[in-house]
Amino acid sequence: MLSISDEHLSNVEPVAKRLRGDASGGIPWMVILDNNGDSLATSDGPSGNIGYPFEPTEIEHFIDMLKRTSRRISSEEIAQLKSTLEEFAEAKRKEREAAKLSNPSGAPTP
């Protein structure tokens, strides 16, 4: 895994352009490369960049990326990862809903 950030590296733009082309979208953005540096899968799903996979379609795209490219991750490990992502997303949805119920106006709380 390599994180490319202009905060810590120079010449990020040419590397990002080579990997992502002209596509734009949010961050994080991911690409899985083969040993020649060619793209096998990206986080650009049907509705755009999945970023951190949170919505069901984003999680499915991320899991599909792994299934299509993995050589050392077992199906059980992929299933566990999917379950963990789904549990995290559900917990965050519940937190958001509870926050809305306790502050229906959406005004900042002191």
Side-chain angles (χ1 to χ4, degrees):
M1 176 181 282
L2 172 66
S3 176
I4 299 174
S5 165
D6 59 2
E7 184 177 325
H8 300 100
L9 302 170
S10 58
N11 298 318
V12 169
E13 285 188 37
V15 174
K17 176 106 173 131
R18 178 182 147 332
L19 295 174
R20 197 166 192 185
D22 292 327
S24 63
I27 53 174
W29 180 82
M30 298 168 270
V31 60
I32 299 174
L33 306 171
D34 67 11
N35 59 350
N36 294 316
D38 296 321
S39 173
L40 297 175
T42 73
S43 59
D44 294 322
S47 300
N49 178 29
I50 63 170
Y52 178 92
F54 181 81
E55 298 298 336
T57 56
E58 296 168 345
I59 293 171
E60 285 302 322
H61 181 77
F62 180 68
I63 295 302
D64 182 59
M65 288 172 63
L66 296 178
K67 285 180 178 178
R68 288 186 294 119
T69 62
S70 66
R71 293 199 174 123
R72 296 187 179 124
I73 305 173
S74 70
S75 6
E76 292 81 16
E77 290 169 319
I78 290 174
Q80 179 60 50
L81 178 58
K82 180 179 180 183
S83 177
T84 301
L85 287 169
E86 290 169 340
E87 289 169 13
F88 176 81
E90 185 59 29
K92 285 296 180 189
R93 283 187 197 92
K94 287 179 181 178
E95 284 177 21
R96 288 180 183 172
E97 190 58 33
K100 282 182 190 176
L101 292 174
S102 68
N103 186 10
S105 70
T109 54

PDB file of all heavy atoms in Angstrom, residues 63-91:
ATOM      1  N   ILE A  63     -15.557  -4.718  -2.365  1.00  0.00           N
ATOM      2  CA  ILE A  63     -15.416  -6.173  -2.232  1.00  0.00           C
ATOM      3  C   ILE A  63     -15.156  -6.806  -3.596  1.00  0.00           C
ATOM      4  O   ILE A  63     -14.313  -7.705  -3.733  1.00  0.00           O
ATOM      5  CB  ILE A  63     -16.656  -6.781  -1.540  1.00  0.00           C
ATOM      6  CG1 ILE A  63     -16.757  -6.278  -0.091  1.00  0.00           C
ATOM      7  CG2 ILE A  63     -16.660  -8.302  -1.607  1.00  0.00           C
ATOM      8  CD1 ILE A  63     -15.554  -6.568   0.784  1.00  0.00           C
ATOM      9  N   ASP A  64     -15.844  -6.316  -4.624  1.00  0.00           N
ATOM     10  CA  ASP A  64     -15.608  -6.819  -5.978  1.00  0.00           C
ATOM     11  C   ASP A  64     -14.177  -6.539  -6.423  1.00  0.00           C
ATOM     12  O   ASP A  64     -13.545  -7.389  -7.058  1.00  0.00           O
ATOM     13  CB  ASP A  64     -16.611  -6.196  -6.952  1.00  0.00           C
ATOM     14  CG  ASP A  64     -16.428  -6.724  -8.362  1.00  0.00           C
ATOM     15  OD1 ASP A  64     -16.536  -7.956  -8.552  1.00  0.00           O
ATOM     16  OD2 ASP A  64     -16.156  -5.912  -9.278  1.00  0.00           O
ATOM     17  N   MET A  65     -13.656  -5.351  -6.082  1.00  0.00           N
ATOM     18  CA  MET A  65     -12.259  -5.028  -6.404  1.00  0.00           C
ATOM     19  C   MET A  65     -11.328  -6.091  -5.819  1.00  0.00           C
ATOM     20  O   MET A  65     -10.416  -6.573  -6.498  1.00  0.00           O
ATOM     21  CB  MET A  65     -11.865  -3.663  -5.822  1.00  0.00           C
ATOM     22  CG  MET A  65     -12.461  -2.460  -6.493  1.00  0.00           C
ATOM     23  SD  MET A  65     -12.102  -0.909  -5.585  1.00  0.00           S
ATOM     24  CE  MET A  65     -10.303  -0.819  -5.672  1.00  0.00           C
ATOM     25  N   LEU A  66     -11.571  -6.440  -4.562  1.00  0.00           N
ATOM     26  CA  LEU A  66     -10.720  -7.433  -3.889  1.00  0.00           C
ATOM     27  C   LEU A  66     -10.886  -8.822  -4.492  1.00  0.00           C
ATOM     28  O   LEU A  66      -9.902  -9.527  -4.721  1.00  0.00           O
ATOM     29  CB  LEU A  66     -11.034  -7.467  -2.393  1.00  0.00           C
ATOM     30  CG  LEU A  66     -10.735  -6.189  -1.621  1.00  0.00           C
ATOM     31  CD1 LEU A  66     -11.136  -6.353  -0.160  1.00  0.00           C
ATOM     32  CD2 LEU A  66      -9.263  -5.812  -1.735  1.00  0.00           C
ATOM     33  N   LYS A  67     -12.118  -9.206  -4.742  1.00  0.00           N
ATOM     34  CA  LYS A  67     -12.375 -10.544  -5.300  1.00  0.00           C
ATOM     35  C   LYS A  67     -11.703 -10.717  -6.658  1.00  0.00           C
ATOM     36  O   LYS A  67     -11.151 -11.768  -6.964  1.00  0.00           O
ATOM     37  CB  LYS A  67     -13.871 -10.792  -5.443  1.00  0.00           C
ATOM     38  CG  LYS A  67     -14.567 -11.078  -4.138  1.00  0.00           C
ATOM     39  CD  LYS A  67     -16.055 -11.310  -4.369  1.00  0.00           C
ATOM     40  CE  LYS A  67     -16.782 -11.646  -3.096  1.00  0.00           C
ATOM     41  NZ  LYS A  67     -18.228 -11.812  -3.327  1.00  0.00           N
ATOM     42  N   ARG A  68     -11.756  -9.660  -7.474  1.00  0.00           N
ATOM     43  CA  ARG A  68     -11.199  -9.752  -8.828  1.00  0.00           C
ATOM     44  C   ARG A  68      -9.674  -9.725  -8.861  1.00  0.00           C
ATOM     45  O   ARG A  68      -9.072 -10.184  -9.824  1.00  0.00           O
ATOM     46  CB  ARG A  68     -11.730  -8.614  -9.704  1.00  0.00           C
ATOM     47  CG  ARG A  68     -13.176  -8.777 -10.074  1.00  0.00           C
ATOM     48  CD  ARG A  68     -13.673  -7.728 -11.065  1.00  0.00           C
ATOM     49  NE  ARG A  68     -13.679  -6.387 -10.509  1.00  0.00           N
ATOM     50  CZ  ARG A  68     -12.957  -5.365 -10.997  1.00  0.00           C
ATOM     51  NH1 ARG A  68     -12.177  -5.525 -12.020  1.00  0.00           N
ATOM     52  NH2 ARG A  68     -13.036  -4.173 -10.434  1.00  0.00           N
ATOM     53  N   THR A  69      -9.057  -9.189  -7.808  1.00  0.00           N
ATOM     54  CA  THR A  69      -7.606  -8.983  -7.868  1.00  0.00           C
ATOM     55  C   THR A  69      -6.809  -9.738  -6.817  1.00  0.00           C
ATOM     56  O   THR A  69      -5.583  -9.797  -6.913  1.00  0.00           O
ATOM     57  CB  THR A  69      -7.281  -7.484  -7.730  1.00  0.00           C
ATOM     58  OG1 THR A  69      -7.738  -7.023  -6.463  1.00  0.00           O
ATOM     59  CG2 THR A  69      -7.931  -6.674  -8.846  1.00  0.00           C
ATOM     60  N   SER A  70      -7.476 -10.282  -5.829  1.00  0.00           N
ATOM     61  CA  SER A  70      -6.729 -10.876  -4.718  1.00  0.00           C
ATOM     62  C   SER A  70      -6.096 -12.204  -5.102  1.00  0.00           C
ATOM     63  O   SER A  70      -6.653 -12.984  -5.857  1.00  0.00           O
ATOM     64  CB  SER A  70      -7.629 -11.063  -3.501  1.00  0.00           C
ATOM     65  OG  SER A  70      -8.628 -12.013  -3.783  1.00  0.00           O
ATOM     66  N   ARG A  71      -4.936 -12.392  -4.551  1.00  0.00           N
ATOM     67  CA  ARG A  71      -4.237 -13.666  -4.728  1.00  0.00           C
ATOM     68  C   ARG A  71      -3.962 -14.322  -3.388  1.00  0.00           C
ATOM     69  O   ARG A  71      -3.771 -15.515  -3.320  1.00  0.00           O
ATOM     70  CB  ARG A  71      -2.924 -13.435  -5.461  1.00  0.00           C
ATOM     71  CG  ARG A  71      -3.145 -12.978  -6.880  1.00  0.00           C
ATOM     72  CD  ARG A  71      -1.896 -13.192  -7.703  1.00  0.00           C
ATOM     73  NE  ARG A  71      -2.174 -12.873  -9.077  1.00  0.00           N
ATOM     74  CZ  ARG A  71      -1.512 -11.987  -9.780  1.00  0.00           C
ATOM     75  NH1 ARG A  71      -0.514 -11.338  -9.231  1.00  0.00           N
ATOM     76  NH2 ARG A  71      -1.832 -11.761 -11.027  1.00  0.00           N
ATOM     77  N   ARG A  72      -3.932 -13.516  -2.336  1.00  0.00           N
ATOM     78  CA  ARG A  72      -3.569 -14.044  -1.027  1.00  0.00           C
ATOM     79  C   ARG A  72      -4.632 -13.821   0.038  1.00  0.00           C
ATOM     80  O   ARG A  72      -4.409 -14.140   1.190  1.00  0.00           O
ATOM     81  CB  ARG A  72      -2.245 -13.426  -0.566  1.00  0.00           C
ATOM     82  CG  ARG A  72      -1.100 -13.801  -1.466  1.00  0.00           C
ATOM     83  CD  ARG A  72       0.218 -13.319  -0.904  1.00  0.00           C
ATOM     84  NE  ARG A  72       1.293 -13.723  -1.780  1.00  0.00           N
ATOM     85  CZ  ARG A  72       2.158 -12.900  -2.329  1.00  0.00           C
ATOM     86  NH1 ARG A  72       2.105 -11.618  -2.069  1.00  0.00           N
ATOM     87  NH2 ARG A  72       3.105 -13.343  -3.112  1.00  0.00           N
ATOM     88  N   ILE A  73      -5.758 -13.259  -0.336  1.00  0.00           N
ATOM     89  CA  ILE A  73      -6.833 -13.045   0.620  1.00  0.00           C
ATOM     90  C   ILE A  73      -7.878 -14.129   0.393  1.00  0.00           C
ATOM     91  O   ILE A  73      -8.363 -14.293  -0.727  1.00  0.00           O
ATOM     92  CB  ILE A  73      -7.473 -11.652   0.445  1.00  0.00           C
ATOM     93  CG1 ILE A  73      -6.433 -10.541   0.532  1.00  0.00           C
ATOM     94  CG2 ILE A  73      -8.581 -11.432   1.465  1.00  0.00           C
ATOM     95  CD1 ILE A  73      -6.972  -9.164   0.193  1.00  0.00           C
ATOM     96  N   SER A  74      -8.215 -14.835   1.443  1.00  0.00           N
ATOM     97  CA  SER A  74      -9.197 -15.921   1.299  1.00  0.00           C
ATOM     98  C   SER A  74     -10.605 -15.354   1.203  1.00  0.00           C
ATOM     99  O   SER A  74     -10.876 -14.212   1.589  1.00  0.00           O
ATOM    100  CB  SER A  74      -9.115 -16.874   2.497  1.00  0.00           C
ATOM    101  OG  SER A  74      -9.612 -16.235   3.662  1.00  0.00           O
ATOM    102  N   SER A  75     -11.538 -16.150   0.695  1.00  0.00           N
ATOM    103  CA  SER A  75     -12.934 -15.706   0.639  1.00  0.00           C
ATOM    104  C   SER A  75     -13.487 -15.450   2.024  1.00  0.00           C
ATOM    105  O   SER A  75     -14.308 -14.560   2.208  1.00  0.00           O
ATOM    106  CB  SER A  75     -13.842 -16.687  -0.078  1.00  0.00           C
ATOM    107  OG  SER A  75     -13.250 -17.846  -0.436  1.00  0.00           O
ATOM    108  N   GLU A  76     -13.018 -16.201   3.008  1.00  0.00           N
ATOM    109  CA  GLU A  76     -13.461 -15.973   4.387  1.00  0.00           C
ATOM    110  C   GLU A  76     -12.983 -14.608   4.891  1.00  0.00           C
ATOM    111  O   GLU A  76     -13.717 -13.894   5.571  1.00  0.00           O
ATOM    112  CB  GLU A  76     -12.951 -17.084   5.318  1.00  0.00           C
ATOM    113  CG  GLU A  76     -13.555 -18.440   5.069  1.00  0.00           C
ATOM    114  CD  GLU A  76     -12.911 -19.197   3.906  1.00  0.00           C
ATOM    115  OE1 GLU A  76     -11.789 -18.821   3.451  1.00  0.00           O
ATOM    116  OE2 GLU A  76     -13.547 -20.149   3.415  1.00  0.00           O
ATOM    117  N   GLU A  77     -11.742 -14.245   4.571  1.00  0.00           N
ATOM    118  CA  GLU A  77     -11.216 -12.946   4.983  1.00  0.00           C
ATOM    119  C   GLU A  77     -11.964 -11.802   4.282  1.00  0.00           C
ATOM    120  O   GLU A  77     -12.249 -10.778   4.906  1.00  0.00           O
ATOM    121  CB  GLU A  77      -9.715 -12.862   4.691  1.00  0.00           C
ATOM    122  CG  GLU A  77      -8.893 -13.755   5.586  1.00  0.00           C
ATOM    123  CD  GLU A  77      -7.452 -13.887   5.136  1.00  0.00           C
ATOM    124  OE1 GLU A  77      -7.184 -14.008   3.915  1.00  0.00           O
ATOM    125  OE2 GLU A  77      -6.578 -13.847   6.031  1.00  0.00           O
ATOM    126  N   ILE A  78     -12.287 -11.993   3.013  1.00  0.00           N
ATOM    127  CA  ILE A  78     -13.047 -10.980   2.289  1.00  0.00           C
ATOM    128  C   ILE A  78     -14.446 -10.847   2.896  1.00  0.00           C
ATOM    129  O   ILE A  78     -14.943  -9.736   3.089  1.00  0.00           O
ATOM    130  CB  ILE A  78     -13.108 -11.297   0.778  1.00  0.00           C
ATOM    131  CG1 ILE A  78     -11.717 -11.103   0.156  1.00  0.00           C
ATOM    132  CG2 ILE A  78     -14.148 -10.426   0.075  1.00  0.00           C
ATOM    133  CD1 ILE A  78     -11.605 -11.508  -1.297  1.00  0.00           C
ATOM    134  N   ALA A  79     -15.075 -11.961   3.227  1.00  0.00           N
ATOM    135  CA  ALA A  79     -16.404 -11.932   3.851  1.00  0.00           C
ATOM    136  C   ALA A  79     -16.347 -11.223   5.203  1.00  0.00           C
ATOM    137  O   ALA A  79     -17.248 -10.442   5.545  1.00  0.00           O
ATOM    138  CB  ALA A  79     -16.946 -13.348   4.006  1.00  0.00           C
ATOM    139  N   GLN A  80     -15.294 -11.453   5.970  1.00  0.00           N
ATOM    140  CA  GLN A  80     -15.134 -10.787   7.266  1.00  0.00           C
ATOM    141  C   GLN A  80     -14.951  -9.284   7.085  1.00  0.00           C
ATOM    142  O   GLN A  80     -15.529  -8.488   7.813  1.00  0.00           O
ATOM    143  CB  GLN A  80     -13.957 -11.377   8.044  1.00  0.00           C
ATOM    144  CG  GLN A  80     -13.713 -10.711   9.389  1.00  0.00           C
ATOM    145  CD  GLN A  80     -14.905 -10.814  10.327  1.00  0.00           C
ATOM    146  OE1 GLN A  80     -15.443 -11.887  10.524  1.00  0.00           O
ATOM    147  NE2 GLN A  80     -15.327  -9.698  10.898  1.00  0.00           N
ATOM    148  N   LEU A  81     -14.160  -8.896   6.103  1.00  0.00           N
ATOM    149  CA  LEU A  81     -13.961  -7.478   5.814  1.00  0.00           C
ATOM    150  C   LEU A  81     -15.281  -6.824   5.422  1.00  0.00           C
ATOM    151  O   LEU A  81     -15.630  -5.749   5.908  1.00  0.00           O
ATOM    152  CB  LEU A  81     -12.922  -7.302   4.710  1.00  0.00           C
ATOM    153  CG  LEU A  81     -12.639  -5.881   4.262  1.00  0.00           C
ATOM    154  CD1 LEU A  81     -12.181  -5.006   5.419  1.00  0.00           C
ATOM    155  CD2 LEU A  81     -11.597  -5.874   3.159  1.00  0.00           C
ATOM    156  N   LYS A  82     -16.045  -7.488   4.567  1.00  0.00           N
ATOM    157  CA  LYS A  82     -17.347  -6.955   4.159  1.00  0.00           C
ATOM    158  C   LYS A  82     -18.258  -6.783   5.375  1.00  0.00           C
ATOM    159  O   LYS A  82     -18.889  -5.735   5.544  1.00  0.00           O
ATOM    160  CB  LYS A  82     -18.007  -7.881   3.138  1.00  0.00           C
ATOM    161  CG  LYS A  82     -19.351  -7.393   2.679  1.00  0.00           C
ATOM    162  CD  LYS A  82     -19.969  -8.326   1.660  1.00  0.00           C
ATOM    163  CE  LYS A  82     -21.326  -7.783   1.222  1.00  0.00           C
ATOM    164  NZ  LYS A  82     -21.993  -8.685   0.292  1.00  0.00           N
ATOM    165  N   SER A  83     -18.291  -7.778   6.223  1.00  0.00           N
ATOM    166  CA  SER A  83     -19.117  -7.718   7.422  1.00  0.00           C
ATOM    167  C   SER A  83     -18.687  -6.560   8.326  1.00  0.00           C
ATOM    168  O   SER A  83     -19.527  -5.820   8.856  1.00  0.00           O
ATOM    169  CB  SER A  83     -19.023  -9.043   8.170  1.00  0.00           C
ATOM    170  OG  SER A  83     -19.745  -8.989   9.368  1.00  0.00           O
ATOM    171  N   THR A  84     -17.401  -6.373   8.484  1.00  0.00           N
ATOM    172  CA  THR A  84     -16.886  -5.290   9.310  1.00  0.00           C
ATOM    173  C   THR A  84     -17.272  -3.929   8.737  1.00  0.00           C
ATOM    174  O   THR A  84     -17.694  -3.030   9.472  1.00  0.00           O
ATOM    175  CB  THR A  84     -15.353  -5.405   9.451  1.00  0.00           C
ATOM    176  OG1 THR A  84     -15.041  -6.665  10.052  1.00  0.00           O
ATOM    177  CG2 THR A  84     -14.772  -4.277  10.285  1.00  0.00           C
ATOM    178  N   LEU A  85     -17.148  -3.759   7.423  1.00  0.00           N
ATOM    179  CA  LEU A  85     -17.539  -2.502   6.787  1.00  0.00           C
ATOM    180  C   LEU A  85     -19.034  -2.247   6.972  1.00  0.00           C
ATOM    181  O   LEU A  85     -19.454  -1.124   7.257  1.00  0.00           O
ATOM    182  CB  LEU A  85     -17.195  -2.526   5.290  1.00  0.00           C
ATOM    183  CG  LEU A  85     -15.722  -2.418   4.939  1.00  0.00           C
ATOM    184  CD1 LEU A  85     -15.498  -2.720   3.459  1.00  0.00           C
ATOM    185  CD2 LEU A  85     -15.179  -1.043   5.289  1.00  0.00           C
ATOM    186  N   GLU A  86     -19.847  -3.284   6.805  1.00  0.00           N
ATOM    187  CA  GLU A  86     -21.293  -3.137   6.966  1.00  0.00           C
ATOM    188  C   GLU A  86     -21.657  -2.782   8.404  1.00  0.00           C
ATOM    189  O   GLU A  86     -22.518  -1.920   8.640  1.00  0.00           O
ATOM    190  CB  GLU A  86     -22.007  -4.418   6.527  1.00  0.00           C
ATOM    191  CG  GLU A  86     -21.942  -4.648   5.035  1.00  0.00           C
ATOM    192  CD  GLU A  86     -22.396  -6.032   4.595  1.00  0.00           C
ATOM    193  OE1 GLU A  86     -22.405  -6.969   5.435  1.00  0.00           O
ATOM    194  OE2 GLU A  86     -22.720  -6.180   3.408  1.00  0.00           O
ATOM    195  N   GLU A  87     -21.015  -3.427   9.368  1.00  0.00           N
ATOM    196  CA  GLU A  87     -21.277  -3.134  10.782  1.00  0.00           C
ATOM    197  C   GLU A  87     -20.884  -1.695  11.126  1.00  0.00           C
ATOM    198  O   GLU A  87     -21.608  -0.989  11.833  1.00  0.00           O
ATOM    199  CB  GLU A  87     -20.520  -4.109  11.678  1.00  0.00           C
ATOM    200  CG  GLU A  87     -21.072  -5.515  11.642  1.00  0.00           C
ATOM    201  CD  GLU A  87     -20.166  -6.534  12.329  1.00  0.00           C
ATOM    202  OE1 GLU A  87     -19.224  -6.133  13.046  1.00  0.00           O
ATOM    203  OE2 GLU A  87     -20.401  -7.741  12.137  1.00  0.00           O
ATOM    204  N   PHE A  88     -19.736  -1.245  10.627  1.00  0.00           N
ATOM    205  CA  PHE A  88     -19.285   0.126  10.870  1.00  0.00           C
ATOM    206  C   PHE A  88     -20.276   1.119  10.275  1.00  0.00           C
ATOM    207  O   PHE A  88     -20.664   2.095  10.927  1.00  0.00           O
ATOM    208  CB  PHE A  88     -17.885   0.342  10.279  1.00  0.00           C
ATOM    209  CG  PHE A  88     -17.405   1.761  10.415  1.00  0.00           C
ATOM    210  CD1 PHE A  88     -16.861   2.204  11.607  1.00  0.00           C
ATOM    211  CD2 PHE A  88     -17.508   2.650   9.354  1.00  0.00           C
ATOM    212  CE1 PHE A  88     -16.420   3.523  11.741  1.00  0.00           C
ATOM    213  CE2 PHE A  88     -17.070   3.963   9.483  1.00  0.00           C
ATOM    214  CZ  PHE A  88     -16.524   4.394  10.676  1.00  0.00           C
ATOM    215  N   ALA A  89     -20.698   0.867   9.034  1.00  0.00           N
ATOM    216  CA  ALA A  89     -21.641   1.768   8.363  1.00  0.00           C
ATOM    217  C   ALA A  89     -22.965   1.829   9.115  1.00  0.00           C
ATOM    218  O   ALA A  89     -23.528   2.914   9.311  1.00  0.00           O
ATOM    219  CB  ALA A  89     -21.860   1.318   6.918  1.00  0.00           C
ATOM    220  N   GLU A  90     -23.453   0.703   9.564  1.00  0.00           N
ATOM    221  CA  GLU A  90     -24.716   0.672  10.306  1.00  0.00           C
ATOM    222  C   GLU A  90     -24.592   1.429  11.623  1.00  0.00           C
ATOM    223  O   GLU A  90     -25.487   2.191  11.998  1.00  0.00           O
ATOM    224  CB  GLU A  90     -25.155  -0.770  10.565  1.00  0.00           C
ATOM    225  CG  GLU A  90     -26.509  -0.885  11.224  1.00  0.00           C
ATOM    226  CD  GLU A  90     -27.641  -0.248  10.440  1.00  0.00           C
ATOM    227  OE1 GLU A  90     -27.569  -0.183   9.195  1.00  0.00           O
ATOM    228  OE2 GLU A  90     -28.609   0.202  11.079  1.00  0.00           O
ATOM    229  N   ALA A  91     -23.493   1.255  12.326  1.00  0.00           N
ATOM    230  CA  ALA A  91     -23.280   1.977  13.585  1.00  0.00           C
ATOM    231  C   ALA A  91     -23.239   3.482  13.337  1.00  0.00           C
ATOM    232  O   ALA A  91     -23.822   4.262  14.101  1.00  0.00           O
ATOM    233  CB  ALA A  91     -21.984   1.508  14.249  1.00  0.00           C
TER     234      ALA A  91
END
